[in-house]
Amino acid sequence: MLGLNRKDTTLLIIVAILALAAPVIFNIFPADSKMAFFNSGYPDLMQRFVIFGIFAIGFNILFGLTGYLSFGHAAFLGVGSYAAVWMFKLLNYNIVPAILLSIIVAGLFSVVIGWISLRRSGIYFSILTLAFAEMSFRLAYSVLTPLTNGETGLQVYNDDPQILLGNGPTVPHLFGLEMRSRAVVDVGPWEFTFPVGYYLCAILMLLSFYLSIRIFRSPFGMMLRAIKSNQTRMSYTGLNPKPYTLAAFVISGMYAGLAGGLLAAMDPLAGAERMQWTASGEVVIMAILGGAGTLIGPILGAGAIKYLENVFSKMNETLLESWFAFLPHWLQETLVWVISKFTGEGWHLTLGALFMLVIIFLPGGLVEGGQKIAARLRRKKPADDTDAAKTKPAE
Amino acid sequence: MDAIILQLLNGLDKGSAYALIALGLTLIFGTLGVVNFAHGALFMIGAFCAVALQRILGTSFVTEDPTQKDFLGNPLKVQTPYLESWFGPETGSAIIDWSVPLAILLAIPVMVAIGFIMERGLIKHFYKRPHADQILVTFGLAIVLQELIRSYFGANPIQSPAPEAFKGSFDFGVMLGFDPNVIIYPYWRMVYFAFSAVIIGAVFAFLQFTTFGMVVRAGMADRETVGLLGINIDKRFTFMFGLAAAVAGVAGVMYAPINSPNYHMGMDFLVLSFVVVVVGGMGSLPGAVAAGFLLGILESFASMNVVKNLLPGIDQIIIYLVAIVILLARPRGLLGKKGVMED
């Protein structure tokens, strides 16, 4: 179907079902039950799941296929956001021109940065992208204030031209369909919210995912894998790797721009923090946690990180105390003390620790973990041979 | 002219911090071939050694003073810092006052131990893995260390005062024949610069003139051959990791009074110091030091008003611009050796 083989079609359909049913899946517990804490079906959060999913899918096209580790992709996300907000300021709140412009601007920006950065590989490439992103962040903070509104962040004001606004809505909309409008369905004790904005992002995420499958399976994707496995050998065969890596870089930059544009479309403001290098680190973490180089990995990683962030940062000490209230007092206090270091504001500690554990014990990420568990359930040895074939050059 | 001298002095200071961190990064890269994204975190831990020591020394305990009664007639409770109760008020507060220099002595063994644990416990397993994995695992470690510090010391910057004796400023203006109060320079910054120079000199002398250093240098050049000669080079390289951690830590302690320590100072310095390492030439120790000072001075010149009016915002990005230009024109960096990571 759609030019995919059966396995990929199944994968796409599963992702589509998951994405479209997310408002139900993430609200699996009744609203007034004790487990309702683990529900994450609010529009804002679900939108973040899929938007960062798009960002991670794009990042994976560069890192997963070519092995070039960019530490500056947040710059494209930020540029995309700024472009979208500028469209809101100049034209009107329709998100179509905004998102188109964010993709284009991020694409152009990534052509420039990619063209320079890709002259080096390995650690130099990482540091160059890092330097560019940090430079963009600082520029957005200081000199480019007329364009970016510096520390305050860019937002839409009443005295902005908005030449096409007319009588249209004054919130982001798709030809009149407001992003923040939603349908709330009550089913017994459950309460499900179906937001427009989320579904728009989810559909774009599915399109991005489909495109990334096509890229993975295309001769172009094959070429990128060849670059990852042995660039020298590839250039000896007479192929210049540069155009391919640059194309991969720009495609992933445009994905990031789309994600940035969508972030602005859901909430029409853009700040420089989106471009900081630790934000680039976050997308790296997502891709690795899910499984870099696999199709589904980045989406899983983005979802897992955003979900854990939400759940862990909500756990405060009072909540923990109520959870462990059945334990003896001293044990309760100790447990709360230990766990509270990892939750609430300390959620980043969990993130860092989780990330280290994945890198150390599970370099293939959640996907590899899943495969290992599946293989063990089938009482087979994990399929090591495929990995070995990928990394070891044929002698 | 006076402005230029002032910026030169400021630049030397910034440059010392960059040079010390970059020196440690280069030691680790040169010996173990590891790209250590947790090095900024080591710098930060150093700064918090000073804070911790101040807390410990200043910690007080509550006693009852029988000579004073509150309005109900009970003995009044008073807080006495341990040190003051042991050594008397004068000596006690004098010791607290000198906590930053004392913290340097504390930081060296602490940082060496942390370095050993990091290398043996974690980084050892990553030698054979790609650079990307090394970057990622040390990045994760940096997040963990940073968050541990934040969860203990909080998110706000903490004051870490220099000893009273170094609180004032020296007037270079008067010395050089300018107006007074034009080029004034805090004593602690002078100490910082001088001590940095001493550390850098000591590291170079250690590598240059001791047998141990000679073996390490040989190992940096050709690890396998040195190993074949029957020398346990791994042990020496582990020690070098500890030394690099100690250099970063001491730089952090010294830096604490200049800029109040906060939990993200490591990440702030990390990107810059990587840029410094790359500009200097990956794996070149003199390159790291030279580039550190060069970029520090460039940055502070760029923050002069004359320059800023001409090119607004240049002070924010000068280092990155220089790095990009140098990486493109001369990929091996200023003093880098041919062929080291030059692809």
Side-chain angles (χ1 to χ4, degrees), chain A residues 75-97:
Chain A
F76 307 127
L77 185 86
V79 166
S81 287
Y82 281 126
V85 177
W86 266 108
M87 276 323 241
F88 293 147
K89 284 167 89 79
L90 295 175
L91 300 178
N92 63 3
Y93 275 109
N94 196 337
I95 60 167
V96 174

Side-chain angles (χ1 to χ4, degrees), chain B residues 95-155:
Chain B
I95 292 176
I96 296 171
D97 181 37
W98 282 85
S99 55
V100 168
L102 284 176
I104 293 173
L105 297 178
L106 173 78
I108 292 171
V110 168
M111 299 310 295
V112 169
I114 292 176
F116 280 3
I117 295 169
M118 249 175 86
E119 203 273 337
R120 286 290 94 184
L122 181 69
I123 290 173
K124 185 179 79 176
H125 307 289
F126 279 80
Y127 293 148
K128 293 267 159 62
R129 298 194 23 191
H131 279 301
D133 279 11
Q134 298 168 355
I135 294 179
L136 294 170
V137 79
T138 47
F139 177 58
L141 182 66
I143 297 177
V144 168
L145 291 176
Q146 168 176 319
E147 287 302 313
L148 284 176
I149 292 287
R150 193 192 60 83
S151 78
Y152 192 78
F153 290 94

Side-chain angles (χ1 to χ4, degrees), chain A residues 28-29 38 45 91 101 183 187 202 241 245 255 296 319 350 377 387:
Chain A
I28 203 96
F29 304 111
F38 292 101
L45 185 68
L91 300 178
L101 187 74
V187 183
T245 45
Y255 268 87
I296 185 84
L319 187 78
T350 316
L377 288 180
D387 256 9

Side-chain angles (χ1 to χ4, degrees), chain A residues 63 69 71 116 119-121 123-124 126-128 130-132 134-135 138-139 142-143 277 281 284-285 288 341 345-346 348-349 352-353 355-356 359-360 363, chain B residues 35 37 122 126 129 132-133 135-137 139-141 143-144 147-148 150-151 267 270-271 274 278 282 312-313 316-317 320-321 324 327-328 331-332 341 343:
Chain A
F63 177 60
L69 175 60
F71 249 104
I116 301 178
R119 300 171 69 161
R120 306 282 158 256
S121 65
I123 163 86
Y124 276 107
S126 299
I127 292 175
L128 264 176
L130 191 59
F132 270 116
E134 199 65 7
M135 198 165 92
R138 300 244 183 144
L139 283 175
S142 60
V143 205
W277 81 272
V284 178
I285 295 178
I288 303 277
K341 295 283 170 218
E345 286 190 344
H348 278 103
L349 183 58
F355 183 55
M356 279 177 70
I359 301 266
I360 296 169
Chain B
V35 182
F37 262 47
L122 181 69
F126 279 80
R129 298 194 23 191
D133 279 11
I135 294 179
L136 294 170
V137 79
F139 177 58
L141 182 66
I143 297 177
V144 168
E147 287 302 313
L148 284 176
R150 193 192 60 83
S151 78
M267 290 286 191
L270 181 72
V271 180
F274 260 109
V278 168
M282 205 88 189
Q316 299 282 324
I317 58 165
Y320 302 105
L321 278 182
I324 288 163
L327 265 185
L328 294 176
R332 75 181 85 146
M341 296 293 298
D343 51 355

